Amino acid sequence: MDTKRTLQRPVTESTSILSLLPVEIVREILEVSARDSGQTAARLVQVSSLVRCWILPILYETIIIENARQCIQIWGNFLRDEARPDAVPLSSLVRNIGLHASRTLETREWLFGVFNDAGIPMSLAEEVTVTSLLHSFTNARNMYINTALACFDLSSPGHHPLAQLTQLHCGSWDSWLGFSSNLDTFPALTHLRVDIIYNTGLSRSWTALQAPSRHLPNLTHLAFGMDSRCKAPELRATAVFVRDILARPGMVMVIVTAWFSWSKKRVVEVFSGLDDPRLFIIHDPGAPNEQSSVVEWEAQARGQKCMWEVPLRSS
């Protein structure tokens, strides 16, 4: 054992086992603990400056914002850390962003109550917003969202803060509609997942994806849900859409979740003409669930489970 890289101290009854291990092993143990629990990671950054340097990238690698108070708390953490000498901006550590809100994230309405209760001047409301946070996440590549996007102004000219995303997971119909009309904002996107979708208007919302030269030219993986209870013409239109998507250059995998799939036979018949090993059909007799959706996204973001890699129940 290299004694120079071991935390040496006399062995006593109170000696921590960690102090007897090489620094590299101690770091690995703490990093694994931090990845398993966000609360553990938050506690570990308080241990020492050395441990803080190890754990901060893990603590801020994946963040989920569910309400205005969390938005303000994260923004405050960023501002405080900027005052530290030689500190790496915390916002640059964020790789995965989750926006899981129960209502539309409109700037002033969303923040007014929290600012008022906390005694924070409303003049700061224009700075502490989801949009301003997104602009600071220059290294983010993966995003989950289940809310409308009115406050993000995707149609604005110039470079958009989400333009660098490679993976997008829409957990609601409203969030997908916001993105589907602005697909040219995301030229780097390779993985797209839309969990909750209604067949009414399906063809219209997906049409842009059938023009790979204009929209999402780098798309390789697509997963979406469909209502298997709808009439045969709509199901056939979905099959045609899937056929066209598979014909896009570079497509690796298409996953279709058939919600309310009480009869596998009906769904299988619709896709019977698509004998393609890249197509997977998941039959689910239940209904879409936004809470399960964000939990699955977080697990994938933290490297615990990935829809694109785990075995699938195919038809």
Side-chain angles (χ1 to χ4, degrees):
M1 179 180 294
D2 185 356
T3 56
K4 293 182 180 180
R5 301 192 65 81
T6 305
L7 305 176
Q8 294 293 311
R9 65 176 62 181
V11 178
T12 66
E13 291 184 0
S14 61
T15 299
S16 167
I17 186 63
L18 292 181
S19 66
L20 304 177
L21 297 174
V23 174
E24 293 86 347
I25 301 300
V26 174
R27 178 173 183 172
E28 184 174 347
I29 292 173
L30 296 181
E31 287 181 344
V32 170
S33 300
R35 290 190 183 281
D36 286 344
S37 169
Q39 291 183 344
T40 298
R43 294 190 186 101
L44 286 174
V45 297
Q46 307 297 326
V47 172
S48 70
S49 58
L50 177 60
V51 175
R52 176 184 173 85
C53 292
W54 294 346
I55 303 303
L56 270 182
I58 297 174
L59 179 62
Y60 283 95
E61 181 181 42
T62 301
I63 64 172
I64 298 179
I65 301 174
E66 297 183 294
N67 53 56
R69 194 173 299 278
Q70 288 178 336
C71 179
I72 294 173
Q73 181 182 9
I74 293 172
W75 187 264
N77 290 345
F78 289 172
L79 292 179
R80 283 193 298 272
D81 200 71
E82 287 178 1
R84 300 171 66 94
D86 302 322
V88 175
L90 293 181
S91 57
S92 69
L93 302 177
V94 178
R95 300 293 185 273
N96 311 297
I97 314 165
L99 297 180
H100 181 62
S102 59
R103 54 181 173 173
T104 302
L105 306 180
E106 298 293 350
T107 303
R108 295 187 66 84
E109 293 179 6
W110 193 50
L111 294 172
F112 180 80
V114 176
F115 272 77
N116 187 56
D117 294 342
I120 301 175
M122 282 303 299
S123 59
L124 294 178
E126 297 302 325
E127 298 180 22
V128 188
T129 66
V130 174
T131 303
S132 56
L133 276 179
L134 289 176
H135 276 278
S136 69
F137 296 149
T138 55
N139 293 321
R141 297 295 182 269
N142 184 357
M143 183 176 185
Y144 171 89
I145 185 166
N146 77 324
T147 188
L149 295 167
C151 61
F152 298 148
D153 192 15
L154 294 175
S155 61
S156 61
H159 181 76
H160 194 276
L162 303 180
Q164 75 278 7
L165 291 179
T166 58
Q167 298 193 47
L168 174 63
H169 186 157
C170 293
S172 72
W173 177 244
D174 287 340
S175 63
W176 164 243
L177 287 182
F179 278 103
S180 65
S181 58
N182 296 278
L183 292 180
D184 53 352
T185 305
F186 315 99
L189 206 66
T190 59
H191 292 63
L192 173 61
R193 178 174 173 179
V194 183
D195 279 350
I196 302 172
I197 195 164
Y198 305 107
N199 290 47
T200 302
L202 177 67
S203 299
R204 183 173 64 256
S205 69
W206 291 106
T207 298
L209 287 180
Q210 295 165 301
S213 61
R214 293 181 51 205
H215 304 293
L216 306 188
N218 295 305
L219 186 68
T220 58
H221 293 69
L222 173 66
F224 69 95
M226 72 171 191
D227 188 340
S228 63
R229 302 170 300 179
C230 63
K231 296 180 180 180
E234 292 183 48
L235 290 178
R236 286 195 294 269
T238 303
V240 170
F241 162 73
V242 171
R243 179 200 65 195
D244 293 343
I245 290 298
L246 288 170
R248 285 176 55 122
M251 285 302 300
V252 174
M253 182 182 295
V254 175
I255 302 173
V256 180
T257 300
W259 299 113
F260 310 104
S261 185
W262 303 318
S263 173
K264 290 186 179 181
K265 180 180 178 181
R266 185 166 186 259
V267 176
V268 170
E269 288 177 349
V270 172
F271 292 95
S272 60
L274 296 177
D275 185 16
D276 194 310
R278 298 172 296 168
L279 173 62
F280 297 85
I281 310 295
I282 300 177
H283 299 277
D284 195 323
N289 184 294
E290 289 188 21
Q291 188 57 45
S292 298
S293 180
V294 70
V295 168
E296 289 183 17
W297 174 83
E298 184 177 7
Q300 176 187 340
R302 297 187 185 279
Q304 299 169 359
K305 179 183 178 182
C306 181
M307 183 182 199
W308 313 109
E309 298 175 359
V310 298
L312 297 169
R313 295 166 290 150
S314 66
S315 60

